[in-house]
């Protein structure tokens, strides 16, 4: 049996986040719901990680941990936009073809959406919704059949997707938190660049 070393990290939350948590607890109380006992310690964040202590600063753990939400968005996209969770009773071979086709669609849409989002962020400091961006790219998928026969229109289609995401993919910001790109850039600068 392999034993994985774990690090227990206890961080004091910032005051802004503590105030937000307190407001949330107060709303629950007004609705007659009892807050969980864990919600009483609103100024403490506890993390359990297998990342070695010398690789990540204690202060960066919260930001890195917040990236886990991207995985939830990914699954939501797979289920909502591509219906990956819906499977009919079919032969194994047909299922595999359908699954591979869906995964190719996912890869194409995710790659194009990410590149457009990255360009918009780099050029205009505009953060766009991952879900909305992938949905927009998916709407343009029928045009990709024409690209096979006329490769000259690929740039035109990509520009259409880019401008559509710029116009319609804007993220609804409730809070001014660090963006995914900010966190990934910080992680890259602090950890990967040092290794080189």
């Amino acid at each position: 049996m392999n034993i994985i070393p774990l690090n227990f990290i206890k961080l004091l939350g910032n005051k802004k986040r503590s105030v937000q948590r307190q407001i949330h607890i107060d709303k629950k109380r007004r609705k007659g719901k009892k807050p969980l006992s864990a919600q009483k310690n609103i100024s403490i964040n506890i993390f359990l990680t297998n990342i070695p202590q010398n690789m990540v600063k204690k202060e960066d753990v919260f930001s890195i941990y917040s990236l886990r939400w991207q995985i939830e968005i990914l699954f939501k996209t797979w289920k909502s936009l591509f219906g990956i969770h819906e499977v009919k009773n079919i032969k194994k071979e047909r299922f595999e073809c359908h699954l591979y086709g869906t995964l190719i669609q996912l890869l194409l849409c995710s790659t194009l959406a990410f590149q457009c989002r990255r360009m918009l962020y780099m050029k205009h400091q505009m953060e766009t919704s991952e879900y909305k961006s992938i949905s927009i790219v998916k709407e343009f998928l029928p045009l990709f059949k024409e690209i096979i026969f006329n490769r000259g229109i690929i740039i035109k289609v990509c520009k259409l997707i880019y401008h559509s995401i710029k116009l319609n993919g804007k993220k609804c910001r409730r809070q001014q938190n660090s963006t995914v790109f900010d966190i990934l850039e910080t992680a890259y600068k602090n950890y990967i660049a040092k290794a080189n």
Side-chain angles (χ1 to χ4, degrees), residues 144-159:
F144 281 85
K145 292 176 188 171
E146 295 177 30
I147 291 172
I148 295 170
F149 302 110
N150 182 1
R151 293 182 185 224
I153 66 167
I154 191 166
I155 293 171
K156 190 176 183 179
V157 171
C158 289
K159 284 182 179 179

Side-chain angles (χ1 to χ4, degrees), residues 20-168:
Q20 289 171 341
R21 287 180 181 172
Q22 187 61 53
I23 291 169
H24 178 71
I25 290 171
D26 292 343
K27 281 182 184 177
K28 276 189 163 186
R29 282 195 181 120
R30 281 195 296 270
K31 290 180 181 179
K33 297 178 182 176
K34 291 183 178 180
L36 299 171
S37 61
Q39 291 176 327
K40 293 177 183 173
N41 298 320
I42 59 175
S43 61
I44 298 172
N45 293 306
I46 298 172
F47 300 95
L48 196 59
T49 179
N50 62 350
I51 301 172
Q53 286 178 327
N54 60 350
M55 283 187 69
V56 179
K57 291 182 206 167
K58 194 174 165 181
E59 298 78 31
D60 293 339
V61 171
F62 186 83
S63 294
I64 293 169
Y65 182 73
S66 69
L67 288 175
R68 82 194 189 298
W69 185 247
Q70 296 306 305
I71 296 167
E72 297 296 330
I73 292 172
L74 177 72
F75 286 127
K76 176 185 176 190
T77 303
W78 287 14
K79 289 172 77 175
S80 300
L81 297 178
F82 296 93
I84 198 134
H85 64 296
E86 297 168 357
V87 179
K88 295 179 181 175
N89 191 7
I90 55 176
K91 291 182 181 178
K92 180 185 170 194
E93 292 79 15
R94 279 192 77 183
F95 169 73
E96 287 175 352
C97 287
H98 175 73
L99 179 64
Y100 291 142
T102 304
L103 291 174
I104 289 169
Q105 276 188 323
L106 281 164
L107 180 64
L108 183 62
C109 290
S110 297
T111 302
L112 276 169
F114 180 79
Q115 291 302 325
C116 290
R117 290 177 69 225
R118 188 176 63 84
M119 287 173 57
L120 284 166
Y121 186 73
M122 289 172 66
K123 286 184 177 181
H124 306 289
Q125 292 297 306
M126 178 183 171
E127 188 180 6
T128 57
S129 162
E130 184 173 353
Y131 184 83
K132 288 179 186 177
S133 298
I134 292 173
S135 176
I136 290 167
V137 174
K138 188 174 185 275
E139 289 175 17
F140 282 90
L141 277 182
L143 294 178
F144 281 85
K145 292 176 188 171
E146 295 177 30
I147 291 172
I148 295 170
F149 302 110
N150 182 1
R151 293 182 185 224
I153 66 167
I154 191 166
I155 293 171
K156 190 176 183 179
V157 171
C158 289
K159 284 182 179 179
L160 282 170
I161 291 169
Y162 175 84
H163 290 296
S164 185
I165 290 174
K166 186 177 180 181
L167 290 174
N168 304 311

